[in-house]
Amino acid sequence: MAQRGIREFDAKRLLARFMPDYMPDFNYKGEVVLVGHDTDFDRLADQNPWLLDRKLVVKPDQLFGKRGLHGLVLLNVDFEQARKFIGSKMNSEVVIGGVSGRLDHFLIEPYIPHKEEYYVAIRASNDYDIIYFSTQGGISVESRWDQVIEIPVHVLQGLDGIDLKKAVADKAELRADQVASFLEALYRFYVDLGFTYLEINPFTLCDGSIVPLDLVAKLDDAEAYWQKKTWGDLEFPEPFGRALSREELYIKELDARTGASLKLTILNPSGRVWTMIAGGGASVIYTDTICDLGHSSELCNYGEYSGDPNTEDTYRYTCTILDLMTKSRHPQGKILLIGGAIANFTDVASTFKGIVMAIKEYQARLKEHGIKIYVRRGGPNYEEGLRLMRSLGEELGIPIDVYGPETHMTRIVPLALEKA
Amino acid sequence: MSQKRPDYLLFDRNTMAFVYGYQTNAIQRMLDFDYVCKRDQPSVSAIINPTRAGIHKAFWGTGEILLPMYKTISDAVARHPEADVMVNFASHRSAFETTMDALNQPSIKTVAVIAEGVPERQARIMAASAKKAGKVIIGPATVGGMVAGAFKIGNTAGTTENIIASRLYRPGCVGFVSKSGGMLNEAFNIISRNSNGIREGIATGGDRYPGSTMLDHIMRYEANLDIAMIACLGELGGEDEYQIIKALKEGKISKPLVAWVTGTCASFLPGSVQFGHAGAKADTAMETAAAKNQAFRDAGANVPDSFDGYGDQIKMVYDRLVAEGKVKQAAEPEAPKIPADYSKALSTGLIRRPTTFICTISDDRGEELLYAGKPITEVMDSRIGIGGVIGLLWFKKELPDYAAQFIEIVIQIVADHGPSVSAAHNAIVASCAGKDLVTSLASGLLTIGPRFGGAIDDAAREFKRASDSGLTPEQFVSEMKQKGINIPGIGHRIKSVKNPDKRVQLLIDFARRNFARTDLLNYALQVERLTTAKKGNLILNVDGCIGILFIDLMSSCDTFTKQDIDDVLRYGYLNGLFALGRSIGIIGHVLDQKRQGARLYRHPPEDIAFMLPRWDE
C-alpha cells in the first residue's frame, strides 16, 4: 500500500470522464489510445476514427519522464508514421536515469499545435496540499521556477476562503477566470479520486478549451476500496525497468489474496545470500547489514513476510524462495537467512511450521546445492518455533543454526557471511 | 480522573482505555501487563464492538473479571468518562470514521490507530484534526506503544514472557521512538540489555503521514524528567528525521540521543524497490538513510556505523549517564510471575490434564471432517449411503453393501405409520399449539418407549435370549404364557395369516437373499406357527421382524463381533433406528400442519368421561 504511478493514458481518461462533474465546460474528450505488444492497429483505428483524421503525437507511457530528451516523442505525424515508429521502438531497450528497461507501452493522441504552455501540479504534504501554477510551463519550468505560484490548501479547510482568481490574476491576466475555475475543479478532482500527485505540464488552450498535453499522476492505492467505481479496472504498472519475474508475480498475487503482507523483489538470482525476513522494519535492517558488511553483490533478494501469515502462505512463500535458490549452483554453496525481530503478536511456531514443511520438501535439493540456513527470531511461542527448526536440521542433516532473542537481531549476518 | 497528568505524559499507572474492536488476545495482553505492573485496576474500561453489546470475561491474574462492551463510542464514553485513550483496532475501511468519532469526544485525548492501509488523505485529516483539538494520534499502521510499569497499547511488547525478559513491568530511563511497530519489541530487548531499560516506547507507524511524528514524542521525552536518554530508529523516505535534526541543532533536545536510520541498503538496490513500509522510499537524496545518518551525526547525535552497533551506542551513553550520576541505579524489583495461559501451556507441552470427554467416532478439528477416521470427501466418494454412514458413526465399521442396504430398508419401512400413532399425534398437537418444528418433532420422539416403537428392541432381546438358552419354540411360548407376558414382536391389530404384512415379507425376502444365515428368523417363524395356530393375528409383526433380522444380520456377518451384538441390545441401537426413521414421518406431519396453518387442537370434552371424586357426601 503506497503511492503508485499510473499511466498517462489512464490519468487522461479519468480527467476526461470525471472533470466535467467539477467544471461543466471542461470539454477535453480524452482522445487517447494505449498501444501494447499485442494491439491490433486496424481495430484500434476502427474504434477511434480520429486516429486516421488527425495529426498525432506518439510517446512511451511507462511512468518515466523526460521522454523528449531521450528522443522518444514523435510529433505531428499521421497514423501510418505512428505505427511505424511504435513498430521500430517496441521491445527495444533504453536507459532512463540509469535504469534500463524495455519499451512496451505507447500512447497516441491528437497533435495540438499551441503557443501557450501552462503548468499545474498538485502535491500532498502533511497538513497541506500545494497547488503550483505557472504560465511559463513546458520543459523549462524548473529553470523558471521563480515564475511558479504556490497555493497551499489546508487538508481540513480545503478551498474555502481561498481566492484562486486573485492568486492567479497577476500571471494569468485575461484568462484568470478560466484558470481559477480549472484549478478549483482540478483540485477537487485530485482529492475525490484519490490522487497523491498530479502534474500537467504543459496544458494549453485550444479554441478556448483546456487541453492537457503531458501528464504525470500518482494515486494512493489504499483508496481502492472507495474508488471502485471511479478507477474501474485501472492497473498500477510496475516502475520502468522492473518487469516482474514469474516468482515475483506469484508472491504479489499471494499478497493480494491474504490479510498478511508478503513481498519479494529479486535482485541478483545468481548471488549466494537469500533472505526470508519477517517484518517490514526488520527486513530493511537485515538487508542494510548485509550491504553495510560489504556483501551487497552477493545479495539475491529483498523480501518480507509479516502480519501473522498462516502456515499455508508461509509454506508457499518459502517454497518460492527455495525454488529460486536451487536453480543454479554456487561453488561456495549458498546461505539462507531466516531472520526477524521479536514479534509482537505473530505466532512464531505456526509460521515456522510452514517453513519447516517447505524445507522438508526441498531437502534433497538443499543438500545438493550446499545450502546453510541461519535462523534468528523471537516473539509469541518462539521457543517452540526455534525447537522445530533445530530438530529439523538434525532430522534432515542440513546445517541449520538457530538463535533467539538473546542474540542481537542481525548477528546472524556476520555469523553466516564472515565464516563462509 | 484523580489527578491531571502533565501534557508530556500520554499514559501513567491510572490510564484507562477503550479498545475498539473485539480483539480478545490484545485485551488479555493489556490486562496481563497491567497485572504484572501491579496496577490497582485493569486499564481497559470497556470494549467497543459495533456488532454486539454486553460483557466480555477476561483474566485478571488467576481470577476473572467482566469488561463491559458497547456498540458505539458515544455509549462507552457516556458511561466511562475516566477513559482518555482509545486503542482502535478498526479495519482500514473504518479506521477513519471511528478515529474521527473518538477525536470528537471531549474525554478521549489519545487514539492509537492499528490498521494498515489507511488512505493517506484520511491519515492527514486525522492528524490535522488531532492537532487542532490538542489531541494525539499514534499510527496508523502501528502496534502502538507503552509506558513501562504503567500502560500498554494492545499487542505492544508481545507476550508476558517478553515483558518479563525486557523488564517492561517497571520503569527504566530510556525514551524510545521508531516508525516501525515490528521493531519496537526488538528495540525494547536491545535497550533492556544495554541500560536499565525502557521508560516509554512508541512506534509512530510506517506510513507516510503518521498522526504523530517521531519528533512529537521525542519532545515529550525531553520534557519528562523520568527520561534520561532518548533513542530513535528512523528509516529512509520522508523528512521526519530532519525535524529531529533541526530540533537538535536548535538545542531543543538537551538529552543524549542515540539515532539510527534504516535503509542504507537502498543505494545498492534498484531505485524502484518498495520496502515493506509504505513510507519507506527515498524520493530525493536528502531522504536516503545515509544522508539522514550523517545529518544526525553532524547534529551531535550518537549514531552507530550499522544497526549492529545500536546497542553499543545505548550502552555507551547509559554508562556515561551513570558515571555522571545522572541516572541512579535502583534496586531491581523481583520479576513478577503471571500464570501461563492454559492453551499456551498445553501447546508447549508444559502441562497436562486429564480430558473430560472421549470421542471415538468423529473429529472436526483437522482440515477435513472425519467419520470414524474417514475424511468426509472419501465418505461421499464411496457412495455408502445413509446405511453406510450409520455403520461408520454407530458401529465405527465399514458395512458390507447388503448390510447398509438392510439398514436403509428398515429406515424406510419405519419412516411413518399414519397420523394416529403416539409420535405423529403428539407432534401434530404440538405443532397446532404453535410450537416450532424441532420442538414438535421432539414431542413426538418422546413417546417412543416400551409401548410405542420399543418392540423392536424387546423382540430381538427376548427371541435371542430364548434361542441362546436352548428353549424350544414350544418351551418359549409356554414360558411367556406362564409369566403372563405377550411375546414382543408377535401380534398385529389387523394383519393375520390370511392377510399377511407385505413389509414383513419384503424384509424376509431380502434377508433370505443376502444374509449368510437367518437362524433367529427361522426360530421366530416356528414360534409364529405356534401362536397363529391359537389366533390368526398372532403373526410375526414388522417390529419383531426388524429386531430379529438385525440380530441375524450381525451374527452371520464377519464385520460384527459378539460384543457388537451385546452392545446393540444393551444400549438400544434398534430403538435408535426406529427413532431415526420415524423422525422422517414426524417432520412430515409437522410440516403438513404448518402448511395448512392448522389452529390449536383442543380435544372435544364429550370424548372425555369426567369422573371426579365427589366430596359433598
Side-chain angles (χ1 to χ4, degrees), chain A residues 122-135:
Chain A
I122 310 177
R123 181 174 76 83
S125 74
N126 291 306
D127 289 349
Y128 292 90
D129 291 295
I130 302 166
I131 303 174
Y132 299 89
F133 172 75
S134 170
T135 52

Side-chain angles (χ1 to χ4, degrees), chain B residues 89-156:
Chain B
F89 279 101
S91 78
H92 70 281
R93 288 183 292 275
S94 50
F96 176 70
E97 54 195 62
T98 49
T99 300
M100 293 302 283
D101 188 356
L103 289 176
N104 284 328
Q105 308 290 343
S107 57
I108 296 182
K109 307 287 186 212
T110 305
V111 183
V113 185
I114 310 301
E116 287 195 37
V118 174
E120 292 182 356
R121 177 161 302 276
Q122 296 183 355
R124 290 162 64 208
I125 294 173
M126 293 189 314
S129 306
K131 204 190 288 177
K132 195 173 157 196
K135 299 184 176 186
V136 177
I137 287 178
I138 299 171
T142 182
V143 68
M146 52 93 65
V147 173
F151 175 80
K152 80 163 187 145
I153 296 169
N155 287 310
T156 305

Side-chain angles (χ1 to χ4, degrees), chain B residues 37-52:
Chain B
C37 293
K38 302 193 167 68
R39 275 180 57 130
D40 297 335
Q41 55 176 339
S43 63
V44 179
S45 279
I47 300 163
I48 302 160
N49 177 358
T51 58
R52 187 162 66 88

Side-chain angles (χ1 to χ4, degrees), chain A residues 4-288:
Chain A
R4 305 278 297 271
I6 59 168
R7 292 192 201 282
E8 182 173 348
F9 165 75
D10 285 315
K12 282 182 167 165
R13 285 199 313 174
L14 289 177
L15 210 59
R17 165 81 179 77
F18 294 103
M19 267 295 276
D21 294 351
Y22 304 96
M23 186 180 183
D25 59 348
F26 183 82
N27 56 7
Y28 168 66
K29 290 195 211 47
E31 285 172 333
V32 51
V33 294
L34 185 68
V35 179
H37 284 293
D38 43 11
T39 302
D40 178 341
F41 279 91
D42 296 330
R43 246 182 81 191
L44 202 62
D46 279 350
Q47 289 164 350
N48 303 278
W50 55 266
L51 283 168
L52 301 172
D53 308 340
R54 307 277 292 269
K55 286 291 180 185
L56 304 171
V57 177
V58 187
K59 53 193 174 183
D61 191 0
Q62 291 179 246
L63 311 191
F64 61 81
K66 303 217 162 44
R67 292 168 290 192
L69 289 177
H70 287 90
L72 295 171
V73 179
L74 192 64
L75 295 173
N76 200 9
V77 295
D78 64 22
F79 186 55
E80 211 37 53
Q81 289 169 298
R83 190 171 177 165
K84 271 200 195 115
F85 175 77
I86 292 175
S88 71
K89 297 286 181 192
M90 185 65 85
N91 288 330
S92 65
E93 194 158 322
V94 294
V95 178
I96 309 284
V99 177
S100 83
R102 286 182 189 284
L103 298 177
D104 54 14
H105 282 89
F106 291 84
L107 171 158
I108 310 177
E109 62 186 348
Y111 172 68
I112 310 287
H114 59 274
K115 277 210 305 285
E116 292 104 337
E117 294 206 326
Y118 287 6
Y119 173 85
V120 63
I122 310 177
R123 181 174 76 83
S125 74
N126 291 306
D127 289 349
Y128 292 90
D129 291 295
I130 302 166
I131 303 174
Y132 299 89
F133 172 75
S134 170
T135 52
Q136 312 287 303
I139 49 171
S140 53
V141 69
E142 282 169 41
S143 61
R144 282 184 283 178
W145 197 251
D146 56 334
Q147 297 296 310
V148 175
I149 309 166
E150 296 188 13
I151 308 163
V153 183
H154 194 270
V155 73
L156 295 183
Q157 279 128 41
L159 290 169
D160 293 351
I162 295 179
D163 189 341
L164 282 173
K165 191 181 165 191
K166 200 172 153 199
V168 301
D170 277 359
K171 303 284 179 189
E173 295 173 347
L174 292 177
R175 299 193 187 280
D177 273 331
Q178 192 181 9
V179 166
S181 65
F182 175 60
L183 293 188
E184 183 190 337
L186 193 70
Y187 176 77
R188 290 170 55 199
F189 166 81
Y190 158 95
V191 170
D192 289 354
L193 272 81
F195 285 87
T196 61
Y197 185 71
L198 180 60
E199 179 190 83
I200 310 178
N201 182 33
F203 68 92
T204 193
L205 294 152
C206 178
D207 303 329
S209 304
I210 288 167
V211 180
L213 298 178
D214 273 307
L215 192 153
V216 178
K218 285 183 188 175
L219 295 176
D220 177 3
D221 70 357
E223 292 224 16
Y225 171 75
W226 292 268
Q227 302 286 355
K228 271 179 208 138
K229 281 199 180 135
T230 46
W231 291 359
D233 55 358
L234 181 112
E235 61 154 351
F236 292 104
E238 291 304 316
F240 180 68
R242 275 219 41 83
L244 289 187
S245 69
R246 199 170 53 87
E247 291 84 1
E248 288 169 321
L249 206 62
Y250 174 70
I251 297 299
K252 198 180 158 192
E253 285 164 8
L254 208 59
D255 181 50
R257 266 196 281 128
T258 75
S261 167
L262 300 166
K263 303 269 183 298
L264 174 65
T265 303
I266 299 169
L267 304 169
N268 171 18
S270 56
R272 302 184 56 208
V273 185
W274 290 83
T275 60
M276 242 195 77
I277 312 297
S283 60
V284 176
I285 295 175
Y286 274 95
T287 312
D288 282 353

Side-chain angles (χ1 to χ4, degrees), chain B residues 172-185:
Chain B
C173 75
V174 183
F176 174 80
V177 65
S178 69
K179 284 188 177 170
S180 167
M183 283 302 296
L184 203 54
N185 245 347

